[in-house]
Amino acid sequence: MAGTKREIPQEVIERVKKLREEIEYHNYRYYVLDSPVISDAEYDALMRELKELEEKYPELITPDSPTQRVGYPPAKEFREVTHALPMLSLDDAFEEKEVLEFDRRIKRFLNLPEDQDLEYTVEPKMDGLAVELVYEEGRFTVGSTRGDGYTGEDVTNNLKTIKSIPLKLFSEDGLPIPRLLEVRGEVFMRKEDFRRLNEERLNKGEPPFANPRNAAAGSLRQLDPNITAQRPLDIFFYGVGRVEGYEFKTQWEILTTLPKWGLKVNPLVRKVKNIQEAIAYHHEMEKRREELPYEIDGIVIKVNDLSLWEKLGTKARSPRYALAYKFPPTQVTTQVLDIVVQVGRTGAVTPVAILKPVQVGGVVVSRATLHNEDEIRRKDVRIGDWVLVQRAGDVIPEVVMVIKERRTGQEKPFRMPENCPVCGTKLVRKPGEAVWRCPNRGCYGQLVRHLLHFASRAAMDIEGLGTKVAEALVDRGLVQDIGDLYYLKVEDLLQLPGFALKKARNLYEAIQRSKKTTLARFLYALGIRHVGEVAAQLLAQHFKSLEAIRKASMADLMSVPGIGPEAARSVWEWFRNERNLKTLEKLLQAGITFEEEEAGETSAEKSLAGLTFVFTGALKSMTREEAKRRVQALGGRVASSVSRNVDYVVVGENPGSKYERARALGLKIINEEEFLRMIGEKS
Ligand code: IVH
């Protein structure tokens, strides 16, 4: 370019140099050390001053000036960069025994005794994308992605937009700066920033990123560095390539020296004495994984002594001196078999994807939340789709996105039901709200209570199904009517809070056992209004089959001795309600069978017919429940409280106040032996 060279005052040259040094130092304090020593306003003032001087004297602009982090024009394509030393990948291990084998193999290779301690570094395995940065004479010159390990893409200008990357290396405490330093690290995006970015994208109608790693990769591999500049990326360095003018002896030395040059290293890195400590570090990180602001997918274990690296050498694509000890993956793909809706405590109706069961984050997942109707539409999830499912920690599994490439055309869109799946009430959606709600206040509670009644001792007698379990079953949408109970699998029960395999199996078996019951118990369990234990017994005795009761007319029902008009109407109506019939069908389909009453089924044998018993105190030979069943089987009744209508009060050990009251009323009091004789258990 032609033109007269103008004189630039020496003070300006000095000032520009000073400003750049200061700004880089404050960048380092802020982005690398996370401990700024000046306010944002002061920093902005320095930056502004530098920009103004550079505008006035453009001749002074250099590529490593802090003003040059942004403002590069978009590229047409990425230039290829060859890595002087290949960027290898790591062997994966998921099990402790593989890690122990890794340690043994190294010792065998090095001819070391198996029980000798071998030092390792342990580092979080960042889930982002690997890059290599070249510093020549301390200046950042070229940055590239890992690519296939041998050649990557030139993303220098994009990397420059990451504020924690120094454009020039520092020299802390007179530490020499290498002539050449190839440094390797992982570019990543924080979970919080990822969430915000995806929200923005969804609002703009752009497709969201599946996870922070994809977001980081997508952001770094932008042809326009101005876009990258708007993405909140960061980096942790973990290794070196070629180094000239400095010598490292250990990996630990690398990890502790890089920060002194201004290159950020994850503060969680550690040096350990032996492989056991490395395993302990893995457990510790797995526990802390959730709370970390960025995603890690395991730890990396590296032999500390670099001279051993050479001896151990590398295999085709991975070194023998390092291992990735991974956590179970938190995102996997599977197929949506169905979409159902569940009703929560507050009446919120949530669509849930029923999945082909898969292992995610260490547990089998067969359901994932779809949040709400808008979310399904936004993600366009259809029945039959292949989806990416995510589960982190204790969080409910969710469908992240559809893998549209796998669509066959057979997928069916989902339509939100108009009525509540539990109680049938018309659902409502308030303006401005994303959720549909069941306006029936009692709906959730009704179902929980219904379940508890159904499972109670005198009904289906399902041990282990108490309030907490009933609530959790409804909360998770595992049960929408009592019929669903019999379709629960052990793996469904494993999702309940506090349920391990044993507990889940026990409950499963208790549910299965309850299928064998009596008609009277079943009728009582259905929870038909005005049909208590006694009425259920009377109906069962009279009609003998469920079918007969179902078909019975009002007159038939009213003709049963002991069944009043209210109960008769209630039964008649129950069997004419479509939802009830559906539930009934589900129950019968599940294989509920009715046994004959245990004893005294014919009226001739009903020795206790017309008699009412009350029990107090503990019986030695049977449970209270069994005793009750015996009395009922023999045509008797068991009352829960003492009154003049009671014929016998059976007194066991440590009787309570019922005994006192029975005496006060002058009722017949018998002991356990006398009772057993009465029911024919003893002669
Ligand atoms: S060392 C030869 N250290 O994991 C050793 N890698 O499969 C090469 N990664 O591509 C890598 N954190 O993207 C190393 N602390 C760490 C790491 C790490 C994440 C990634 C890196 C690499 C992949 C290896």
Side-chain angles (χ1 to χ4, degrees):
M1 246 214 285
T4 43
K5 233 190 160 142
R6 67 182 153 151
E7 224 19 76
I8 302 175
Q10 193 56 34
E11 313 92 78
V12 172
I13 296 173
E14 295 285 319
R15 182 65 189 152
V16 164
K17 186 164 175 263
K18 184 94 200 337
L19 280 169
R20 285 178 187 160
E21 278 169 12
E22 274 196 37
I23 291 168
E24 281 298 313
Y25 174 71
H26 292 304
N27 270 346
Y28 170 67
R29 298 286 322 189
Y30 187 89
Y31 293 106
V32 180
L33 300 184
D34 207 9
S35 80
V37 285
I38 57 168
S39 69
D40 288 1
E42 285 171 287
Y43 176 88
D44 290 345
L46 294 175
M47 200 65 175
R48 209 173 318 115
E49 190 186 343
L50 178 62
K51 265 190 204 147
E52 278 164 16
L53 285 174
E54 286 183 349
E55 262 162 38
K56 212 158 149 196
Y57 304 100
E59 307 92 303
L60 288 179
I61 298 176
T62 57
D64 61 2
S65 170
T67 58
Q68 301 305 299
R69 284 189 186 270
V70 287
Y72 285 95
K76 290 204 183 58
E77 57 178 8
F78 292 112
R79 203 173 57 87
E80 264 193 6
V81 177
T82 304
H83 304 295
L85 297 177
M87 291 180 78
L88 301 171
S89 63
L90 292 166
D91 282 349
D92 282 348
F94 284 94
E95 311 273 346
E96 190 172 318
K97 63 173 192 285
E98 299 170 80
V99 180
L100 293 170
E101 179 49 31
F102 161 76
D103 179 66
R104 272 198 296 271
R105 205 166 43 231
I106 290 174
K107 287 170 183 167
R108 266 202 307 274
F109 214 92
L110 298 172
N111 273 324
L112 296 173
E114 211 175 275
D115 53 2
Q116 184 175 317
D117 279 347
L118 183 62
E119 238 177 32
Y120 292 101
T121 62
V122 283
E123 309 163 21
K125 186 171 187 302
M126 300 299 298
D127 203 6
L129 88 155
V131 291
E132 178 172 69
L133 281 74
V134 183
Y135 284 88
E136 290 170 83
E137 302 295 348
R139 276 166 208 278
F140 175 39
T141 51
V142 180
S144 54
T145 59
R146 175 174 179 274
D148 62 5
Y150 300 96
T151 48
E153 291 169 329
D154 183 339
V155 285
T156 313
N157 293 337
N158 294 355
L159 285 169
K160 279 186 180 174
T161 68
I162 300 177
K163 304 282 194 359
S164 53
I165 291 181
L167 302 177
K168 239 176 102 184
L169 297 182
F170 294 95
S171 162
E172 205 184 89
D173 316 328
L175 187 76
I177 285 177
R179 232 177 9 259
L180 172 72
L181 175 69
E182 290 175 354
V183 64
R184 291 162 179 188
E186 192 90 346
V187 171
F188 64 93
M189 190 180 286
R190 285 187 175 67
K191 293 177 193 168
E192 182 58 28
D193 291 326
F194 159 74
R195 207 189 42 71
R196 210 172 306 139
L197 175 65
N198 260 359
E199 217 162 80
E200 277 171 32
R201 288 176 72 84
L202 283 170
N203 288 340
K204 282 193 264 177
E206 294 170 11
F209 289 110
N211 49 48
R213 182 189 58 241
N214 287 8
S219 301
L220 192 67
R221 297 184 61 256
Q222 281 289 333
L223 287 169
D224 184 355
N226 295 300
I227 295 178
T228 309
Q230 290 157 25
R231 300 282 172 79
L233 296 176
D234 205 345
I235 191 164
F236 277 135
F237 292 97
Y238 53 70
V240 295
R242 284 184 307 170
V243 186
E244 286 171 18
Y246 200 94
E247 208 184 327
F248 293 112
K249 292 207 162 44
T250 63
Q251 169 69 6
W252 186 244
E253 196 188 342
I254 296 174
L255 295 174
T256 48
T257 306
L258 294 179
K260 295 183 186 159
W261 287 324
L263 299 162
K264 203 167 165 181
V265 170
N266 191 324
L268 296 172
V269 299
R270 228 175 270 168
K271 181 172 72 174
V272 295
K273 279 208 306 289
N274 52 38
I275 200 70
Q276 280 73 28
E277 285 189 6
I279 291 168
Y281 178 82
H282 178 269
H283 296 326
E284 182 189 332
M285 288 301 138
E286 192 166 12
K287 273 205 205 102
R288 291 173 67 173
R289 180 182 192 185
E290 277 316 300
E291 74 195 40
L292 293 178
Y294 43 76
E295 290 203 334
I296 61 175
D297 57 347
I299 65 162
V300 183
I301 306 174
K302 297 172 188 163
V303 171
N304 188 30
D305 185 343
L306 299 186
S307 71
L308 299 181
W309 287 25
E310 273 169 43
K311 285 191 194 154
L312 289 162
T314 65
K315 298 183 286 177
R317 298 197 58 96
S318 55
R320 288 197 186 83
Y321 53 80
L323 183 72
Y325 185 7
K326 306 251 286 227
F327 302 137
T330 53
Q331 281 192 341
V332 298
T333 55
T334 187
Q335 202 176 11
V336 177
L337 303 177
D338 198 4
I339 297 177
V340 299
V341 289
Q342 68 184 53
V343 188
R345 202 169 291 252
T346 57
V349 175
T350 315
V352 175
I354 305 297
L355 308 168
K356 197 183 255 180
V358 271
Q359 282 264 353
V360 199
V363 303
V364 177
V365 167
S366 54
R367 312 163 62 89
T369 180
L370 290 161
H371 301 293
N372 56 54
E373 192 186 15
D374 293 352
E375 195 77 4
I376 298 187
R377 203 168 306 134
R378 210 146 58 153
K379 290 178 179 163
D380 189 18
V381 184
R382 303 179 190 178
I383 299 165
D385 265 335
W386 279 86
V387 289
L388 187 65
V389 176
Q390 169 171 290
R391 192 197 85 100
D394 287 337
V395 184
I396 304 170
E398 60 169 355
V399 170
V400 178
M401 60 185 244
V402 175
I403 302 164
K404 298 222 167 114
E405 292 75 12
R406 291 187 77 164
R407 278 204 173 147
T408 62
Q410 301 295 303
E411 296 75 14
K412 283 195 221 75
F414 164 78
R415 279 213 23 223
M416 197 74 183
E418 287 176 9
N419 297 79
C420 171
V422 171
C423 70
T425 308
K426 209 163 167 59
L427 300 178
V428 292
R429 181 174 170 173
K430 284 202 198 122
E433 270 196 7
V435 286
W436 283 93
R437 279 177 205 283
C438 170
N440 172 6
R441 287 264 182 157
C443 171
Y444 171 89
Q446 261 171 38
L447 179 56
V448 170
R449 274 195 303 278
H450 196 174
L451 267 178
L452 285 171
H453 170 79
F454 185 79
S456 67
R457 285 261 196 107
M460 303 302 276
D461 193 15
I462 302 172
E463 205 182 316
L465 208 166
T467 311
K468 282 223 179 80
V469 174
E471 283 176 354
L473 286 171
V474 177
D475 268 344
R476 269 147 232 253
L478 289 166
V479 169
Q480 294 191 335
D481 72 34
I482 49 177
D484 293 336
L485 265 183
Y486 292 99
Y487 298 86
L488 293 170
K489 297 188 214 70
V490 173
E491 71 197 38
D492 296 324
L493 299 174
L494 277 171
Q495 296 174 29
L496 303 181
F499 268 66
L501 200 56
K502 185 158 181 245
K503 208 166 163 190
R505 277 207 189 121
N506 286 345
L507 179 56
Y508 174 80
E509 272 157 24
I511 293 172
Q512 298 308 313
R513 263 202 310 277
S514 74
K515 284 187 194 168
K516 237 184 174 177
T517 185
T518 65
L519 180 56
R521 281 172 164 270
F522 184 71
L523 275 177
Y524 172 62
L526 290 177
I528 303 170
R529 280 186 71 198
H530 306 296
V531 180
E533 278 179 80
V534 177
Q537 194 106 42
L538 293 172
L539 288 166
Q541 269 158 25
H542 184 89
F543 289 102
K544 305 255 183 326
S545 78
L546 189 66
E547 213 28 49
I549 299 173
R550 183 173 170 161
K551 286 202 192 114
S553 66
M554 266 299 284
D556 293 339
L557 289 161
M558 297 245 290
S559 73
V560 180
I563 297 290
E566 266 190 328
R569 169 153 296 279
S570 177
V571 172
W572 189 84
E573 279 174 356
W574 197 95
F575 284 99
R576 265 130 205 101
N577 173 308
E578 216 175 294
R579 297 178 60 79
N580 292 339
L581 293 179
K582 251 197 192 152
T583 303
L584 191 63
E585 195 51 40
K586 240 193 235 179
L587 287 164
L588 296 175
Q589 282 287 329
I592 302 258
T593 54
F594 307 121
E595 295 176 323
E596 307 277 279
E597 295 285 344
E598 288 124 35
E601 181 221 358
T602 60
S603 56
E605 284 168 356
K606 290 203 180 302
S607 52
L608 304 185
L611 298 178
T612 300
F613 288 74
V614 160
F615 290 90
T616 176
L619 299 179
K620 283 191 288 237
S621 57
M622 61 180 78
T623 65
R624 185 77 69 79
E625 194 51 33
E626 270 174 85
K628 188 168 173 180
R629 266 187 236 169
R630 307 310 293 270
V631 171
Q632 286 167 348
L634 292 169
R637 238 192 103 220
V638 176
S640 55
S641 61
V642 172
S643 71
R644 279 187 203 285
N645 303 328
V646 171
D647 299 291
Y648 291 98
V649 177
V650 184
V651 180
E653 267 173 43
N654 302 320
S657 60
K658 283 184 208 161
Y659 176 58
E660 304 298 328
R661 189 161 153 70
R663 277 175 51 139
L665 290 174
L667 301 178
K668 261 181 240 157
I669 295 172
I670 58 171
N671 62 22
E672 184 167 352
E673 244 191 83
E674 289 167 305
F675 170 67
L676 291 176
R677 227 171 277 134
M678 263 179 109
I679 63 169
E681 290 282 304
K682 260 193 173 169
S683 47

